[in-house]
Amino acid sequence: GAVVSQHPSWVICKSGTSVKIECRSLDFQATTMFWYRQFPKQSLMLMATSNEGSKATYEQGVEKDKFLINHASLTLSTLTVTSAHPEDSSFYICSASDVLGPRGEKLFFGSGTQLSVL
Amino acid sequence: SQQGEEDPQALSIQEGENATMNCSYKTSINNLQWYRQNSGRGLVHLILIRSNEREKHSGRLRVTLDTSKKSSSLLITASRAADTASYFCATDEAGTALIFGKGTTLSVSS
């Protein structure tokens, strides 16, 4: 099946620094990628939808200036957590939509990034 | 935003028993999917059922969908310790992003 590579798998950073997470579709083109956040023992919450070549659409309550999303190509989307604080510590997961698949069906997930902010 | 609501929140069973999890959602959907997540790891896609389907099987998994009640169930038969994980239903919203339910934590003891 299709593969979505996400890295780093985990990152520890100091409060106030920025962290970049990459999400790559390895063997398919993804015009749309999604970013989710998951706090311990909770479900995945959709943060934003990114479309190649355009600005991301953020869900209500998600600060676009804090969570910068760039989707510069059909195979790469990045999420940058700017000026990270301990409350940003979470598990972040990306998913990519195969342009060739029926809408809403061909979604593939990365393995996630555990962010810990000290 | 969350669309699906699973119950029970937690389920503990013995190996060999069947596990049933339920999911309810609020709006119209094109499809509903079930995922498994082992602790602290990524998602594993289990099964997809379309809105015009009522039941689907995959190995030891059986999924039903009742669009009139906006609900779905996931049955795992003859459970194994390796089935211990969190299970989430997810529905498509506007045909693109998946919206996940709160999940059911399944614990299978040997």
Side-chain angles (χ1 to χ4, degrees):
Chain A
V3 176
V4 173
S5 174
Q6 182 176 343
H7 79 271
S9 298
W10 56 271
V11 58
I12 301 173
C13 70
K14 292 182 179 179
S15 188
T17 60
S18 294
V19 174
K20 180 184 283 188
I21 302 170
E22 290 191 352
C23 180
R24 293 180 185 272
S25 56
L26 296 186
D27 51 2
F28 67 98
Q29 293 185 326
T31 54
T32 305
M33 290 188 177
F34 307 94
W35 288 95
Y36 293 84
R37 178 170 55 185
Q38 183 181 32
F39 292 108
K41 299 186 187 299
Q42 294 189 25
S43 186
L44 285 78
M45 299 296 292
L46 179 66
M47 297 176 66
T49 301
S50 76
N51 293 294
E52 184 262 339
S54 63
K55 290 183 178 180
T57 302
Y58 291 81
E59 295 297 302
Q60 192 172 10
V62 178
E63 300 174 58
K64 62 180 181 181
D65 294 329
K66 181 167 188 61
F67 299 99
L68 300 180
I69 292 173
N70 182 280
H71 192 161
S73 76
L74 285 172
T75 59
L76 173 65
S77 176
T78 61
L79 167 68
T80 301
V81 183
T82 62
S83 186
H85 290 285
E87 58 264 31
D88 298 323
S89 298
S90 184
F91 191 59
Y92 294 86
I93 306 178
C94 70
S95 71
S97 174
D98 186 340
V99 298
L100 298 180
R103 294 175 71 193
E105 291 194 16
K106 289 291 185 181
L107 290 179
F108 303 96
F109 285 83
S111 55
T113 298
Q114 180 63 53
L115 170 63
S116 296
V117 184
L118 305 178
Chain B
S1 59
Q2 280 185 305
Q3 164 112 287
E5 297 273 340
E6 281 99 327
D7 78 270
Q9 285 189 317
L11 181 60
S12 293
I13 58 175
Q14 298 286 320
E15 263 193 328
E17 295 180 337
N18 296 341
T20 300
M21 291 159 251
N22 303 294
C23 167
S24 61
Y25 57 92
K26 297 174 183 173
T27 63
S28 297
I29 61 171
N30 294 313
N31 66 75
L32 184 145
Q33 304 182 45
W34 284 89
Y35 286 84
R36 184 183 74 216
Q37 183 182 39
N38 288 64
S39 180
R41 305 182 76 171
L43 296 171
V44 175
H45 181 262
L46 296 177
I47 198 164
L48 177 151
I49 187 165
R50 295 188 178 89
S51 60
N52 61 353
E53 297 175 311
R54 292 297 167 258
E55 187 172 311
K56 207 161 183 180
H57 297 255
S58 177
R60 294 184 296 113
L61 305 180
R62 172 177 170 260
V63 169
T64 62
L65 179 64
D66 187 334
T67 53
S68 66
K69 295 181 180 179
K70 292 187 170 57
S71 67
S72 173
S73 68
L74 170 67
L75 168 67
I76 304 173
T77 60
S79 61
R80 307 165 182 169
D83 295 328
T84 295
S86 292
Y87 292 82
F88 297 93
C89 70
T91 53
D92 64 324
E93 183 171 304
T96 53
L98 287 181
I99 305 301
F100 287 82
K102 294 181 178 178
T104 293
T105 300
L106 174 65
S107 177
V108 182
S109 53
S110 54

